[in-house]
Amino acid sequence: MLIKNCRMIIDGEEQFKDILVENEKIVSIEDDLSGVSSDEIIDAAGNYVISGVIDPHVHMRDPGMTHKEDFTTGSMACAKGGITTFFDMPNTVPNTITEEALLEKKRLHEGKSYVDYGFWFGGSKADNHDEVKKVQDKVIATKVFMNVSTGNMLVEDEKVLEDIFKNSKLVGVHAEGEMIPKAISLSEKLDVPVYLCHLSTKEDVQYVREAKKKGLKVYGEATPHHLFLNVSDVEKNPLLRMKPELKTKEDNEALWEGILDGTIDTIGTDHAPHRIEEKKAKLTFGIPGAENSLEMMLKAVRCDKISLEKLMKIMSETTAEIFGLKNKGKIAVGYDADLVIVDMTTEEIISQENVISKCGWTPYEGLKKGGKILTTIVRGNVVFKDGKFINKIGKEVI
Ligand code: DOR
Ligand code: ZN
Ligand code: ZN
């Protein structure tokens, strides 16, 4: 594959390049590769070409709740949103807390996804540390719910928490409020890196900032909804309920500061689809995110809140580094050709009518996109182009 006329940011400078892909990898990035013959030529037509987004935090609901989402529809939401790799959370039914459930999930999902994927393994209140230990080379990392959330996976017992941490290469936590310093201290005591999902307050960011100053292996994630939405939006749209809940405008700004000073490492969507009828009928925590994450984050690039280069770091490069994906996260020779072509001149509006996810709604209804995703490429295969889904090429990243 040869991708022509790519507008790229290289070392802070806008440049126009051609990208040559062979055997799924980028093999050359040059000013002009028009002399090279290739089976497939794509014209980026001067649009931005950016590194495919890695979303470390999605709930694909498969198995067990496939009326909300299944692996295929969830992966379509990703492809449409410029996400080329996602990591699926364990609060499916059954919970992914045994090796057996994990292997079954892997079998079930083979050949079902348009983009690449990995699996989180769940820590369980019944102390499944033997299982946790067994699967470490088959999963992204261990996920532990330290506060109540959708899915009944809360782990509270100190000894159980320690057992799970000790047997993990990295622990991702759903932790809110005082559970954040608790997770950081467990990580310090047991010398296991901790990844704090969906930071939502100024205080959360400060805990992570201080831990990093001490040199601890602590990583922070922010979601687009905690960056762009706050309590004033919930007043207008009662569907905007999730854990952690939306906070204040001041918290939005503290999260942005955390991104700019390096306290926050990654963007995860916490794509948590519940069908719109379910959301309307009863208080249900979780909102979708995969489809609009990059489109929303590009709004911040458009208004100079963040550079495109920095955005690619937190949505791709750093995520790959934290979770050990060696060939992903960068547009560079030798890396997987996971690429997204984006039109940054669009004035398009985000609308529920175009939602691909089975949930059937978007928290960003009516907002202007920061960019329009034209084409999504996974390892040199076009998976999404001009609104069409093309190839269920996705495979597991481990
Ligand atoms: O609001 C949430 N919904 N927060 C979570 O942590 C889980 C998620 C879900 O799975 O619905
Ligand atoms: Zn969570
Ligand atoms: Zn989550």
Side-chain angles (χ1 to χ4, degrees), residues 337-357:
D338 294 341
L339 304 164
V340 184
I341 306 176
V342 189
D343 173 5
M344 291 283 286
T345 62
T346 180
E347 300 284 307
E348 254 182 44
I349 303 291
I350 296 172
S351 158
Q352 181 170 310
E353 275 168 36
N354 304 321
V355 169
I356 286 296
S357 166

Side-chain angles (χ1 to χ4, degrees), residues 56 70 213 254 300 335:
D70 63 46
K213 265 195 208 131
Y335 278 71

Side-chain angles (χ1 to χ4, degrees), residues 57-347:
H57 189 161
V58 302
H59 300 265
M60 292 312 190
R61 310 299 192 203
D62 194 354
M65 292 168 287
T66 51
H67 65 290
K68 296 178 194 274
E69 195 77 289
D70 63 46
F71 217 65
T72 297
T73 56
S75 80
M76 290 163 84
C78 287
K80 178 175 174 242
I83 295 163
T84 50
T85 304
F86 67 83
F87 303 158
D88 183 45
M89 284 295 176
N91 60 338
T92 42
V93 180
N95 295 161
T96 319
I97 54 175
T98 62
E99 186 182 34
E100 194 191 348
L102 173 72
L103 297 180
E104 179 57 23
K105 200 178 205 186
K106 290 191 185 205
R107 260 194 304 276
L108 194 66
H109 294 340
E110 235 169 89
K112 298 276 170 66
S113 176
Y114 284 85
V115 304
D116 285 348
Y117 55 87
F119 297 103
W120 288 87
F121 193 70
S124 133
K125 61 186 137 233
D127 199 344
N128 61 340
H129 70 269
D130 287 336
E131 299 285 313
V132 169
K133 189 173 181 176
K134 253 195 282 180
V135 301
Q136 283 307 296
D137 60 350
K138 300 188 184 80
V139 295
I140 291 300
T142 310
K143 171 71 180 284
V144 178
F145 286 86
M146 292 177 69
N147 295 93
V148 175
S149 189
T150 307
N152 195 27
M153 286 185 72
L154 179 65
V155 182
E156 284 178 300
D157 186 274
E158 181 79 21
K159 159 116 182 6
V160 177
L161 284 171
E162 290 203 9
D163 284 348
I164 295 168
F165 266 73
K166 272 190 269 183
N167 288 286
S168 301
K169 54 187 172 184
L170 181 149
V171 179
V173 291
H174 176 115
E176 297 190 48
E178 64 194 15
M179 285 300 132
I180 290 188
K182 168 91 192 160
I184 293 173
S185 73
L186 275 171
S187 157
E188 181 175 18
K189 177 176 171 195
L190 304 168
D191 195 24
V192 177
V194 69
Y195 178 86
L196 296 149
C197 296
H198 44 48
L199 299 176
S200 68
T201 70
K202 190 176 176 176
E203 292 72 32
D204 296 355
V205 179
Q206 193 53 24
Y207 282 128
V208 176
R209 191 174 282 126
E210 275 157 23
K212 285 191 163 172
K213 265 195 208 131
K214 280 172 74 181
L216 303 181
K217 283 176 248 160
V218 170
Y219 305 106
E221 172 195 86
T223 70
H225 53 273
H226 290 113
L227 287 164
F228 285 96
L229 305 175
N230 55 54
V231 279
S232 72
D233 298 290
V234 191
E235 283 162 22
K236 288 172 245 154
N237 182 357
L239 300 187
L240 298 177
R241 300 294 298 276
M242 75 300 289
K243 294 288 185 187
E245 299 267 15
L246 295 175
K247 304 295 183 339
T248 66
K249 183 136 185 37
E250 195 190 346
D251 293 305
N252 297 146
E253 288 314 315
L255 291 168
W256 281 110
E257 250 172 63
I259 286 178
L260 295 180
D261 75 6
T263 303
I264 291 171
D265 300 279
T266 64
I267 300 297
T269 62
D270 200 2
H271 179 70
H274 298 283
R275 292 180 66 102
I276 189 162
E277 315 86 81
E278 296 172 314
K279 291 281 292 185
K280 282 184 175 160
K282 159 167 177 271
L283 177 58
T284 308
F285 295 107
I287 66 169
E291 267 171 87
N292 307 116
S293 154
L294 177 58
E295 288 173 352
M296 286 299 293
M297 294 303 291
L298 286 169
K299 284 169 86 75
V301 174
R302 290 273 281 265
C303 68
D304 283 332
K305 201 157 188 158
I306 184 172
S307 71
L308 187 58
E309 225 171 5
K310 173 82 178 173
L311 189 71
M312 283 196 281
K313 277 213 159 56
I314 60 171
M315 295 193 87
S316 194
E317 186 175 343
T318 309
T319 320
E321 280 165 17
I322 293 171
F323 295 99
L325 305 190
K326 295 214 169 51
N327 303 315
K328 292 191 183 289
K330 261 205 265 199
I331 306 185
V333 170
Y335 278 71
D336 284 359
D338 294 341
L339 304 164
V340 184
I341 306 176
V342 189
D343 173 5
M344 291 283 286
T345 62
T346 180
E347 300 284 307

